[in-house]
Amino acid sequence: MTRSVWKGPFVDACLFKQKKIKWKIWSRRSCILPQFVGCYAQIYNGKGSVGLKITEEMVGHKFGEFASTRKPSSSGKRASPSKTKVKPKEKVR
């Protein structure tokens, strides 16, 4: 479900208190507002922080969309289908 239009976008109150150009953000659910463009943010993803410079294309999205919380796969690629060969069925007489 999306947030009701009359409520407006959710932004954590601590983001308005900070007047810095560099932020440490733990609230991944906050929306990016136009006034944040040009700022640099360190978004916490559960293990460490991911650096991000906020651009105009990011306005309206949430901070969490730009900091993945999943580990990359150990092989570096997606799982491939099994390589076992299937024998064709024999015809029944």
Side-chain angles (χ1 to χ4, degrees):
M1 297 279 323
T2 58
R3 188 170 166 89
S4 297
V5 175
W6 63 270
K7 290 183 181 179
F10 174 79
V11 180
D12 198 13
C14 69
L15 295 176
F16 288 116
K17 293 177 185 176
Q18 298 177 353
K19 299 291 182 185
K20 300 177 185 177
I21 295 194
K22 286 188 175 183
W23 292 333
K24 282 222 173 211
I25 298 173
W26 282 269
S27 177
R28 296 167 41 86
R29 62 186 178 159
S30 297
C31 285
I32 299 174
L33 299 178
Q35 63 199 34
F36 300 153
V37 173
C39 295
Y40 183 78
Q42 291 281 332
I43 304 168
Y44 188 70
N45 66 0
K47 184 176 181 183
S49 295
V50 177
L52 176 74
K53 182 168 172 92
I54 300 171
T55 61
E56 288 187 22
E57 293 83 28
M58 297 176 183
V59 173
H61 293 275
K62 297 186 185 278
F63 284 108
E65 294 180 43
F66 303 103
S68 177
T69 58
R70 304 287 184 204
K71 285 183 180 179
S73 65
S74 60
S75 64
K77 58 183 179 181
R78 294 193 303 171
S80 61
S82 71
K83 296 181 180 180
T84 58
K85 293 184 179 179
V86 177
K87 294 182 182 180
K89 292 183 180 180
E90 294 181 17
K91 291 183 181 178
V92 179
R93 292 186 180 181

Coordinates of all heavy atoms in Angstrom, one line a residue:
M1 N 0.8 -1.2 0.0 CA 0.0 0.0 0.0 C 0.9 1.2 0.0 O 1.9 1.3 0.7 CB -0.9 0.1 1.3 CG -1.9 -1.0 1.5 SD -3.4 -1.0 0.7 CE -4.2 0.5 0.6
T2 N 0.4 2.2 -0.7 CA 1.2 3.5 -0.7 C 0.6 4.4 0.4 O -0.5 4.2 0.9 CB 1.1 4.2 -2.1 OG1 -0.3 4.4 -2.3 CG2 1.7 3.3 -3.2
R3 N 1.4 5.4 0.7 CA 1.0 6.3 1.8 C -0.1 7.2 1.2 O 0.0 7.6 0.0 CB 2.2 7.1 2.2 CG 2.0 7.9 3.4 CD 3.3 8.4 3.9 NE 3.2 9.5 4.9 CZ 3.0 9.4 6.2 NH1 3.0 8.2 6.7 NH2 2.9 10.4 7.0
S4 N -1.1 7.6 2.0 CA -2.1 8.5 1.5 C -1.5 9.8 1.1 O -0.6 10.3 1.6 CB -3.1 8.8 2.6 OG -3.8 7.6 3.0
V5 N -2.1 10.4 0.0 CA -1.6 11.6 -0.6 C -1.7 12.8 0.4 O -0.8 13.6 0.5 CB -2.4 11.9 -1.9 CG1 -2.0 13.3 -2.4 CG2 -2.2 10.9 -2.9
W6 N -2.8 12.8 1.2 CA -3.0 13.9 2.1 C -2.0 13.9 3.2 O -1.8 15.0 3.9 CB -4.4 14.0 2.6 CG -4.8 12.8 3.5 CD1 -5.4 11.6 3.0 CD2 -4.7 12.6 4.9 NE1 -5.6 10.8 4.1 CE2 -5.2 11.4 5.2 CE3 -4.2 13.5 5.9 CZ2 -5.2 10.9 6.5 CZ3 -4.2 13.0 7.2 CH2 -4.7 11.7 7.5
K7 N -1.4 12.8 3.5 CA -0.4 12.7 4.6 C 1.0 13.3 4.2 O 1.7 13.7 5.0 CB -0.2 11.3 5.1 CG -1.4 10.7 5.8 CD -1.1 9.3 6.3 CE -2.2 8.7 7.0 NZ -1.9 7.4 7.5
G8 N 1.3 13.2 2.9 CA 2.5 13.7 2.4 C 3.6 12.6 2.6 O 3.4 11.6 3.2
P9 N 4.8 12.9 2.1 CA 5.9 11.9 2.2 C 6.4 11.9 3.7 O 6.5 12.9 4.4 CB 7.0 12.4 1.3 CG 6.7 13.9 1.2 CD 5.2 14.0 1.3
F10 N 6.9 10.7 4.1 CA 7.4 10.5 5.4 C 8.9 10.9 5.4 O 9.7 10.4 4.6 CB 7.3 9.1 5.9 CG 8.0 8.9 7.3 CD1 7.4 9.3 8.4 CD2 9.2 8.3 7.3 CE1 8.0 9.1 9.6 CE2 9.8 8.0 8.5 CZ 9.2 8.5 9.7
V11 N 9.3 11.8 6.3 CA 10.7 12.1 6.5 C 11.0 12.1 8.0 O 10.3 12.8 8.7 CB 11.0 13.5 5.9 CG1 12.5 13.8 6.0 CG2 10.7 13.5 4.4
D12 N 12.0 11.4 8.4 CA 12.4 11.4 9.8 C 12.7 12.8 10.3 O 13.4 13.5 9.6 CB 13.6 10.4 10.0 CG 13.7 10.0 11.4 OD1 12.8 10.2 12.2 OD2 14.8 9.4 11.7
A13 N 12.3 13.1 11.5 CA 12.5 14.5 12.0 C 14.0 14.8 12.2 O 14.3 16.0 12.1 CB 11.8 14.6 13.4
C14 N 14.8 13.8 12.5 CA 16.2 14.2 12.7 C 16.9 14.7 11.4 O 17.9 15.4 11.5 CB 17.0 12.9 13.2 SG 17.2 11.6 12.0
L15 N 16.3 14.4 10.2 CA 16.9 14.9 9.0 C 16.7 16.4 8.8 O 17.5 17.1 8.2 CB 16.3 14.2 7.8 CG 16.7 12.7 7.7 CD1 16.0 12.1 6.5 CD2 18.1 12.5 7.6
F16 N 15.6 17.0 9.4 CA 15.4 18.4 9.4 C 16.3 19.2 10.4 O 16.6 20.3 10.2 CB 13.9 18.7 9.6 CG 13.1 18.3 8.5 CD1 12.1 17.3 8.6 CD2 13.2 18.9 7.2 CE1 11.3 17.0 7.6 CE2 12.4 18.6 6.2 CZ 11.4 17.6 6.3
K17 N 16.7 18.5 11.5 CA 17.5 19.1 12.5 C 18.9 19.3 12.0 O 19.6 20.3 12.4 CB 17.5 18.3 13.8 CG 16.1 18.3 14.4 CD 16.1 17.4 15.7 CE 14.8 17.2 16.3 NZ 14.7 16.3 17.4
Q18 N 19.4 18.4 11.2 CA 20.8 18.5 10.7 C 20.9 19.5 9.6 O 20.2 19.4 8.6 CB 21.2 17.1 10.2 CG 21.2 16.0 11.3 CD 21.6 14.7 10.7 OE1 21.7 14.5 9.5 NE2 21.7 13.7 11.6
K19 N 21.8 20.4 9.8 CA 22.1 21.4 8.8 C 23.4 21.1 8.0 O 23.9 21.9 7.2 CB 22.2 22.8 9.4 CG 21.0 23.2 10.1 CD 19.9 23.5 9.2 CE 18.7 24.0 9.9 NZ 17.5 24.2 9.1
K20 N 23.9 19.9 8.2 CA 25.2 19.5 7.6 C 25.0 19.2 6.1 O 23.9 18.9 5.7 CB 25.8 18.4 8.3 CG 26.1 18.6 9.8 CD 26.6 17.3 10.4 CE 26.8 17.5 11.9 NZ 27.2 16.2 12.5
I21 N 26.1 19.1 5.4 CA 26.1 18.6 4.1 C 26.4 17.1 4.1 O 26.0 16.4 3.2 CB 27.2 19.3 3.2 CG1 26.7 20.8 3.1 CG2 27.3 18.7 1.9 CD1 27.4 21.6 2.1
K22 N 27.0 16.6 5.1 CA 27.2 15.1 5.3 C 26.3 14.6 6.4 O 26.3 15.1 7.5 CB 28.7 14.8 5.6 CG 29.6 15.0 4.5 CD 31.0 14.5 4.8 CE 31.9 14.6 3.7 NZ 33.2 14.0 4.0
W23 N 25.6 13.6 6.1 CA 24.6 13.0 7.0 C 24.9 11.5 7.3 O 25.4 10.8 6.4 CB 23.2 13.0 6.6 CG 22.6 14.4 6.4 CD1 22.9 15.5 7.1 CD2 21.5 14.7 5.6 NE1 22.1 16.5 6.8 CE2 21.3 16.1 5.8 CE3 20.8 14.0 4.6 CZ2 20.3 16.7 5.1 CZ3 19.8 14.7 4.0 CH2 19.6 16.0 4.2
K24 N 24.6 11.0 8.4 CA 24.6 9.6 8.7 C 23.1 9.3 8.9 O 22.5 9.8 9.8 CB 25.4 9.2 10.0 CG 26.9 9.2 9.8 CD 27.4 8.0 10.5 CE 28.9 7.9 10.1 NZ 29.3 6.6 10.1
I25 N 22.6 8.4 8.1 CA 21.2 8.1 8.1 C 20.9 6.7 8.5 O 21.5 5.8 7.9 CB 20.6 8.4 6.7 CG1 20.7 9.9 6.4 CG2 19.1 8.0 6.6 CD1 20.3 10.2 5.0
W26 N 20.1 6.5 9.5 CA 19.7 5.1 9.9 C 18.2 4.9 9.4 O 17.8 3.7 9.3 CB 19.8 5.0 11.4 CG 21.2 4.7 11.8 CD1 21.8 3.5 12.0 CD2 22.1 5.7 12.2 NE1 23.1 3.7 12.4 CE2 23.3 5.1 12.5 CE3 22.1 7.1 12.2 CZ2 24.4 5.8 12.9 CZ3 23.3 7.8 12.6 CH2 24.4 7.1 12.9
S27 N 17.5 5.9 9.1 CA 16.1 5.8 8.7 C 16.0 5.5 7.2 O 16.0 6.5 6.4 CB 15.3 7.0 9.1 OG 14.0 6.9 8.6
R28 N 16.0 4.3 6.8 CA 16.0 4.0 5.3 C 14.6 4.2 4.7 O 14.4 4.3 3.5 CB 16.4 2.5 5.1 CG 17.8 2.2 5.6 CD 18.0 0.7 5.7 NE 17.4 -0.1 4.6 CZ 18.0 -0.3 3.4 NH1 19.2 0.2 3.2 NH2 17.4 -1.0 2.5
R29 N 13.6 4.4 5.6 CA 12.2 4.5 5.1 C 11.9 6.0 4.7 O 10.8 6.3 4.2 CB 11.2 4.0 6.1 CG 11.3 4.7 7.4 CD 10.4 4.1 8.4 NE 10.5 4.8 9.7 CZ 9.7 4.8 10.7 NH1 8.6 4.1 10.5 NH2 9.9 5.5 11.7
S30 N 12.7 6.9 5.1 CA 12.5 8.3 4.8 C 12.6 8.6 3.3 O 13.4 8.1 2.6 CB 13.5 9.2 5.5 OG 13.4 9.1 6.9
C31 N 11.7 9.5 2.8 CA 11.7 9.9 1.4 C 12.7 11.0 1.2 O 13.1 11.8 2.1 CB 10.3 10.5 1.1 SG 9.1 9.3 0.8
I32 N 13.3 11.1 0.0 CA 14.2 12.1 -0.3 C 13.5 13.3 -0.9 O 12.7 13.2 -1.8 CB 15.2 11.6 -1.4 CG1 16.0 10.4 -0.8 CG2 16.2 12.6 -1.8 CD1 16.9 9.6 -1.8
L33 N 13.7 14.5 -0.3 CA 13.0 15.7 -0.6 C 13.9 16.5 -1.5 O 15.2 16.4 -1.5 CB 12.7 16.5 0.6 CG 11.7 15.8 1.6 CD1 11.4 16.7 2.8 CD2 10.4 15.4 0.9
P34 N 13.4 17.5 -2.3 CA 14.2 18.3 -3.2 C 15.2 19.1 -2.5 O 16.3 19.5 -3.0 CB 13.2 19.2 -3.9 CG 11.9 18.5 -3.8 CD 12.0 17.7 -2.5
Q35 N 15.0 19.5 -1.2 CA 16.0 20.3 -0.5 C 17.2 19.5 -0.1 O 18.2 20.1 0.3 CB 15.3 20.9 0.8 CG 14.8 19.8 1.8 CD 13.8 20.4 2.7 OE1 13.0 21.3 2.4 NE2 13.9 19.9 4.0
F36 N 17.2 18.2 -0.2 CA 18.4 17.4 0.1 C 19.3 17.2 -1.1 O 20.4 16.6 -1.0 CB 18.0 16.0 0.5 CG 17.1 15.9 1.7 CD1 16.2 14.9 1.9 CD2 17.1 16.9 2.7 CE1 15.4 14.8 3.1 CE2 16.4 16.9 3.8 CZ 15.5 15.8 4.0
V37 N 19.0 17.7 -2.3 CA 19.8 17.5 -3.5 C 21.1 18.2 -3.3 O 21.2 19.3 -2.8 CB 19.1 18.1 -4.7 CG1 20.0 18.1 -6.0 CG2 17.8 17.3 -5.0
G38 N 22.2 17.5 -3.7 CA 23.5 18.0 -3.6 C 24.2 17.6 -2.3 O 25.4 17.8 -2.1
C39 N 23.5 17.1 -1.3 CA 24.1 16.6 -0.1 C 24.7 15.2 -0.2 O 24.3 14.5 -1.1 CB 23.0 16.6 1.0 SG 22.3 18.2 1.4
Y40 N 25.5 14.9 0.7 CA 26.2 13.6 0.8 C 25.6 12.8 2.0 O 25.6 13.4 3.1 CB 27.7 13.8 0.8 CG 28.4 12.5 0.8 CD1 28.6 11.8 -0.4 CD2 29.0 11.9 1.9 CE1 29.3 10.6 -0.4 CE2 29.7 10.7 1.9 CZ 29.8 10.1 0.7 OH 30.5 8.9 0.7
A41 N 25.2 11.6 1.8 CA 24.6 10.8 2.9 C 25.4 9.5 3.1 O 25.8 8.9 2.1 CB 23.2 10.6 2.6
Q42 N 25.5 9.1 4.3 CA 26.0 7.7 4.6 C 24.8 6.9 5.1 O 24.3 7.2 6.2 CB 27.1 7.8 5.7 CG 28.4 8.4 5.3 CD 29.2 7.5 4.5 OE1 29.1 6.2 4.7 NE2 30.0 8.0 3.6
I43 N 24.3 6.0 4.4 CA 23.1 5.2 4.7 C 23.5 3.9 5.3 O 24.2 3.2 4.7 CB 22.2 5.0 3.5 CG1 21.9 6.3 2.8 CG2 20.9 4.3 3.8 CD1 21.3 6.2 1.4
Y44 N 23.0 3.6 6.5 CA 23.3 2.4 7.2 C 22.5 1.3 6.7 O 21.3 1.4 6.5 CB 23.0 2.6 8.7 CG 23.5 1.4 9.6 CD1 24.8 1.2 9.8 CD2 22.6 0.6 10.1 CE1 25.3 0.1 10.5 CE2 23.0 -0.5 10.9 CZ 24.3 -0.7 11.1 OH 24.8 -1.8 11.9
N45 N 23.1 0.2 6.3 CA 22.4 -1.0 5.7 C 22.4 -2.2 6.6 O 22.0 -3.3 6.1 CB 23.0 -1.3 4.3 CG 24.4 -1.9 4.4 OD1 25.0 -2.0 5.5 ND2 25.0 -2.2 3.3
G46 N 22.7 -2.1 7.8 CA 22.6 -3.2 8.8 C 24.0 -3.7 9.1 O 24.2 -4.4 10.2
K47 N 25.0 -3.5 8.3 CA 26.3 -3.9 8.6 C 27.3 -2.8 8.6 O 28.2 -2.7 9.4 CB 26.7 -5.0 7.5 CG 28.1 -5.6 7.7 CD 28.4 -6.7 6.7 CE 29.8 -7.3 7.0 NZ 30.1 -8.3 6.0
G48 N 27.2 -1.9 7.6 CA 28.1 -0.8 7.5 C 27.3 0.4 6.8 O 26.1 0.3 6.6
S49 N 28.0 1.4 6.4 CA 27.4 2.5 5.8 C 27.8 2.6 4.3 O 28.9 2.2 3.9 CB 27.8 3.8 6.4 OG 27.3 3.9 7.7
V50 N 26.8 3.0 3.5 CA 27.0 3.1 2.0 C 26.9 4.6 1.7 O 26.0 5.3 2.1 CB 25.9 2.4 1.3 CG1 26.1 2.6 -0.2 CG2 25.9 0.9 1.6
G51 N 28.0 5.1 1.0 CA 28.0 6.5 0.7 C 27.1 6.8 -0.5 O 27.0 6.0 -1.4
L52 N 26.5 8.0 -0.5 CA 25.6 8.4 -1.6 C 25.5 9.9 -1.7 O 25.4 10.6 -0.7 CB 24.2 7.8 -1.3 CG 23.1 8.2 -2.2 CD1 23.2 7.4 -3.5 CD2 21.8 7.8 -1.5
K53 N 25.7 10.4 -3.0 CA 25.5 11.8 -3.2 C 24.1 11.9 -3.8 O 23.7 11.2 -4.8 CB 26.5 12.3 -4.2 CG 26.3 13.8 -4.4 CD 27.5 14.4 -5.1 CE 27.2 15.8 -5.6 NZ 27.6 16.8 -4.6
I54 N 23.2 12.7 -3.2 CA 21.8 12.8 -3.6 C 21.7 13.7 -4.9 O 22.2 14.9 -4.9 CB 21.0 13.4 -2.5 CG1 21.1 12.5 -1.3 CG2 19.5 13.5 -2.9 CD1 20.5 13.0 0.0
T55 N 21.0 13.2 -5.9 CA 20.8 13.9 -7.2 C 19.3 14.2 -7.4 O 18.5 13.6 -6.6 CB 21.4 13.1 -8.4 OG1 20.7 11.9 -8.4 CG2 22.9 12.9 -8.2
E56 N 19.0 14.9 -8.4 CA 17.6 15.2 -8.7 C 16.8 14.0 -9.1 O 15.6 14.0 -8.8 CB 17.5 16.3 -9.8 CG 17.9 17.7 -9.3 CD 17.7 18.7 -10.4 OE1 16.8 18.5 -11.3 OE2 18.3 19.8 -10.3
E57 N 17.4 13.0 -9.7 CA 16.7 11.8 -10.1 C 16.2 11.0 -8.9 O 15.3 10.2 -9.0 CB 17.5 10.9 -11.0 CG 17.9 11.5 -12.3 CD 19.0 12.5 -12.3 OE1 19.9 12.3 -11.4 OE2 19.0 13.4 -13.1
M58 N 16.8 11.2 -7.7 CA 16.5 10.4 -6.5 C 15.3 11.0 -5.7 O 14.8 10.4 -4.8 CB 17.7 10.4 -5.6 CG 18.9 9.6 -6.2 SD 20.3 9.7 -5.1 CE 21.5 8.9 -6.1
V59 N 14.9 12.2 -6.0 CA 13.8 12.9 -5.3 C 12.5 12.1 -5.4 O 12.2 11.7 -6.5 CB 13.6 14.3 -5.8 CG1 12.4 15.0 -5.2 CG2 14.9 15.2 -5.5
G60 N 11.9 11.8 -4.3 CA 10.7 11.1 -4.3 C 10.9 9.6 -3.9 O 9.9 8.9 -3.5
H61 N 12.1 9.1 -4.1 CA 12.4 7.7 -3.7 C 12.8 7.7 -2.2 O 12.9 8.7 -1.6 CB 13.6 7.2 -4.5 CG 13.2 7.0 -6.0 ND1 12.6 5.9 -6.5 CD2 13.4 7.9 -7.0 CE1 12.4 6.1 -7.8 NE2 12.9 7.2 -8.1
K62 N 13.0 6.5 -1.7 CA 13.4 6.3 -0.3 C 14.9 6.1 -0.2 O 15.4 5.5 -1.1 CB 12.6 5.2 0.4 CG 11.1 5.5 0.4 CD 10.3 4.5 1.1 CE 8.9 4.7 1.1 NZ 8.4 5.7 2.0
F63 N 15.5 6.4 0.9 CA 16.9 6.2 1.1 C 17.3 4.7 1.0 O 18.3 4.4 0.5 CB 17.4 6.8 2.5 CG 17.5 8.3 2.5 CD1 16.6 9.0 3.2 CD2 18.5 8.9 1.8 CE1 16.7 10.4 3.2 CE2 18.6 10.3 1.8 CZ 17.7 11.0 2.6
G64 N 16.4 3.9 1.5 CA 16.7 2.4 1.5 C 16.9 1.8 0.1 O 17.5 0.8 -0.1
E65 N 16.3 2.5 -0.9 CA 16.4 2.0 -2.3 C 17.8 2.0 -2.8 O 18.2 1.3 -3.8 CB 15.5 2.7 -3.2 CG 14.0 2.6 -2.9 CD 13.2 3.4 -3.9 OE1 13.4 3.4 -5.1 OE2 12.2 4.0 -3.4
F66 N 18.7 2.8 -2.2 CA 20.0 3.1 -2.7 C 21.1 2.4 -1.9 O 22.3 2.6 -2.2 CB 20.3 4.6 -2.9 CG 19.3 5.3 -3.7 CD1 18.2 6.0 -3.2 CD2 19.3 5.1 -5.1 CE1 17.3 6.6 -4.0 CE2 18.4 5.7 -5.9 CZ 17.3 6.5 -5.3
A67 N 20.7 1.7 -0.9 CA 21.7 0.9 0.0 C 21.2 -0.5 0.1 O 20.3 -0.8 1.0 CB 21.8 1.6 1.3
S68 N 21.8 -1.4 -0.6 CA 21.3 -2.8 -0.6 C 21.7 -3.4 0.8 O 22.8 -3.2 1.3 CB 22.0 -3.6 -1.7 OG 21.7 -4.9 -1.7
T69 N 20.8 -4.3 1.3 CA 21.1 -5.0 2.5 C 21.5 -6.4 2.3 O 21.7 -7.1 3.2 CB 19.8 -4.9 3.4 OG1 18.7 -5.6 2.7 CG2 19.5 -3.5 3.8
R70 N 21.5 -6.9 1.0 CA 21.8 -8.3 0.7 C 23.2 -8.4 0.4 O 23.8 -7.6 -0.2 CB 20.9 -8.7 -0.5 CG 19.5 -8.6 -0.2 CD 19.0 -9.6 0.8 NE 17.5 -9.4 0.9 CZ 16.9 -9.8 2.0 NH1 17.5 -10.3 3.0 NH2 15.6 -9.7 2.0
K71 N 23.8 -9.6 0.7 CA 25.2 -9.9 0.4 C 25.2 -10.3 -1.1 O 24.3 -10.9 -1.6 CB 25.7 -11.1 1.1 CG 26.0 -10.9 2.6 CD 26.5 -12.2 3.2 CE 26.9 -12.0 4.6 NZ 27.4 -13.2 5.2
P72 N 26.3 -9.9 -1.8 CA 26.4 -10.4 -3.2 C 26.7 -11.9 -3.1 O 27.3 -12.4 -2.2 CB 27.6 -9.6 -3.7 CG 28.3 -9.1 -2.6 CD 27.3 -9.0 -1.4
S73 N 26.3 -12.6 -4.2 CA 26.6 -14.1 -4.2 C 28.0 -14.4 -4.2 O 28.8 -13.6 -4.7 CB 25.9 -14.7 -5.4 OG 26.5 -14.3 -6.6
S74 N 28.4 -15.5 -3.6 CA 29.9 -15.8 -3.5 C 30.5 -16.1 -4.8 O 31.7 -15.8 -5.0 CB 30.0 -17.0 -2.6 OG 29.4 -18.1 -3.1
S75 N 29.7 -16.6 -5.8 CA 30.3 -16.9 -7.1 C 30.3 -15.6 -8.0 O 31.0 -15.6 -9.0 CB 29.5 -18.0 -7.8 OG 28.2 -17.5 -8.0
G76 N 29.6 -14.6 -7.6 CA 29.6 -13.4 -8.4 C 28.6 -13.4 -9.6 O 28.6 -12.5 -10.4
K77 N 27.8 -14.5 -9.7 CA 26.8 -14.6 -10.8 C 25.6 -15.3 -10.2 O 25.6 -15.9 -9.2 CB 27.4 -15.3 -12.0 CG 27.8 -16.7 -11.7 CD 28.4 -17.4 -13.0 CE 28.9 -18.8 -12.6 NZ 29.5 -19.4 -13.8
R78 N 24.5 -15.1 -11.0 CA 23.3 -15.8 -10.6 C 23.4 -17.3 -10.7 O 24.2 -17.8 -11.5 CB 22.1 -15.2 -11.4 CG 21.9 -13.8 -11.1 CD 20.6 -13.3 -11.6 NE 20.4 -13.5 -13.1 CZ 19.3 -13.4 -13.7 NH1 18.2 -13.0 -13.1 NH2 19.2 -13.6 -15.0
A79 N 22.5 -18.0 -10.0 CA 22.5 -19.4 -10.1 C 22.1 -19.9 -11.5 O 21.1 -19.3 -12.1 CB 21.6 -20.0 -9.1
S80 N 22.8 -20.8 -12.1 CA 22.4 -21.3 -13.4 C 21.6 -22.6 -13.3 O 21.7 -23.3 -12.3 CB 23.7 -21.6 -14.2 OG 24.5 -22.6 -13.6
P81 N 20.8 -22.9 -14.3 CA 20.1 -24.2 -14.2 C 21.0 -25.4 -14.2 O 22.1 -25.3 -14.5 CB 19.2 -24.2 -15.5 CG 19.8 -23.1 -16.4 CD 20.6 -22.2 -15.5
S82 N 20.5 -26.5 -13.7 CA 21.3 -27.6 -13.5 C 21.8 -28.1 -14.8 O 21.1 -28.0 -15.9 CB 20.5 -28.8 -12.8 OG 19.6 -29.3 -13.7
K83 N 23.0 -28.7 -14.8 CA 23.6 -29.1 -16.1 C 23.5 -30.6 -16.3 O 24.2 -31.2 -17.1 CB 25.1 -28.7 -16.1 CG 25.3 -27.2 -16.0 CD 26.7 -26.8 -16.0 CE 26.9 -25.3 -16.0 NZ 28.2 -24.9 -16.0
T84 N 22.6 -31.2 -15.6 CA 22.4 -32.7 -15.8 C 21.6 -32.9 -17.0 O 20.7 -32.2 -17.4 CB 21.6 -33.3 -14.6 OG1 20.4 -32.6 -14.5 CG2 22.4 -33.2 -13.3
K85 N 22.0 -33.9 -17.8 CA 21.3 -34.2 -19.0 C 20.1 -35.1 -18.7 O 20.2 -36.1 -18.0 CB 22.3 -34.9 -20.0 CG 23.4 -33.9 -20.5 CD 24.2 -34.6 -21.5 CE 25.3 -33.7 -22.0 NZ 26.2 -34.3 -23.0
V86 N 19.1 -34.9 -19.4 CA 17.9 -35.7 -19.3 C 17.8 -36.6 -20.5 O 17.9 -36.2 -21.6 CB 16.6 -34.8 -19.3 CG1 15.4 -35.7 -19.2 CG2 16.7 -33.8 -18.1
K87 N 17.7 -37.9 -20.2 CA 17.7 -38.9 -21.2 C 16.3 -38.9 -21.8 O 15.3 -38.8 -21.1 CB 18.0 -40.3 -20.7 CG 19.4 -40.4 -20.2 CD 19.6 -41.8 -19.7 CE 21.1 -42.0 -19.2 NZ 21.3 -43.3 -18.7
P88 N 16.2 -39.0 -23.2 CA 14.8 -39.1 -23.8 C 14.1 -40.4 -23.4 O 14.8 -41.4 -23.2 CB 15.1 -39.0 -25.3 CG 16.6 -39.4 -25.4 CD 17.2 -39.0 -24.1
K89 N 12.8 -40.3 -23.3 CA 12.1 -41.5 -23.0 C 12.1 -42.5 -24.1 O 12.1 -42.1 -25.3 CB 10.6 -41.1 -22.7 CG 10.5 -40.3 -21.4 CD 9.0 -40.0 -21.2 CE 8.8 -39.2 -19.9 NZ 7.4 -38.9 -19.7
E90 N 12.1 -43.8 -23.7 CA 12.1 -44.8 -24.8 C 10.7 -45.1 -25.2 O 9.8 -44.9 -24.4 CB 12.7 -46.1 -24.2 CG 14.2 -46.0 -23.8 CD 14.7 -47.3 -23.3 OE1 14.1 -48.4 -23.5 OE2 15.7 -47.3 -22.6
K91 N 10.6 -45.4 -26.5 CA 9.3 -45.7 -27.0 C 8.8 -47.0 -26.6 O 9.5 -48.0 -26.5 CB 9.3 -45.6 -28.6 CG 9.5 -44.3 -29.1 CD 9.5 -44.3 -30.6 CE 9.7 -42.9 -31.1 NZ 9.8 -42.9 -32.6
V92 N 7.5 -47.1 -26.2 CA 6.9 -48.4 -25.7 C 6.2 -49.0 -26.9 O 5.5 -48.4 -27.6 CB 5.9 -48.1 -24.6 CG1 5.3 -49.4 -24.1 CG2 6.6 -47.4 -23.5
R93 N 6.5 -50.4 -27.2 CA 5.9 -51.1 -28.3 C 4.8 -51.9 -27.8 O 4.5 -52.4 -26.9 CB 6.9 -51.9 -29.0 CG 7.9 -51.1 -29.6 CD 8.8 -52.0 -30.4 NE 9.8 -51.2 -31.1 CZ 10.7 -51.7 -31.9 NH1 10.8 -53.0 -32.1 NH2 11.6 -51.0 -32.4

